[in-house]
Amino acid sequence: MRDHLPLVESGAIGDSAGVLRSAGFGNVRVIPLRRLHSLDSALGALPGHEVTLQYALTGIRR
C-alpha cells in the first residue's frame, strides 16, 4: 500500500508540489495558510494534535 502513497514519508511541502508537477499540472503554487496557523496557535489544536503550518496547493491541468 505504501508504494501507492509517494508522500507518506515526506516532511517537505515541496515534495507534494513536485508530485503535482509530475502528474502534469502547471503553474503549481504552494500557499502557506498563516492565518489558520495563527488561529490554531491562539485557540489551541485538538487534543493529541500539534499546531503546524498547513498549506494549500493549486495547479492548472495542462
Side-chain angles (χ1 to χ4, degrees):
M1 178 63 111
R2 292 174 90 75
D3 294 341
H4 299 289
L5 303 169
L7 300 172
V8 73
E9 300 290 333
S10 174
I13 194 63
D15 294 343
S16 297
V19 168
L20 289 179
R21 288 184 192 98
S22 295
F25 287 86
N27 197 28
V28 174
R29 293 178 36 206
V30 176
I31 305 160
L33 302 176
R34 290 188 180 95
R35 179 72 176 130
L36 182 58
H37 185 264
S38 295
L39 287 171
D40 283 347
S41 294
L43 301 175
L46 291 173
H49 291 81
E50 295 179 23
V51 175
T52 58
L53 182 59
Q54 297 179 52
Y55 300 87
L57 291 114
T58 63
I60 298 174
R61 185 176 176 194
R62 296 184 204 177

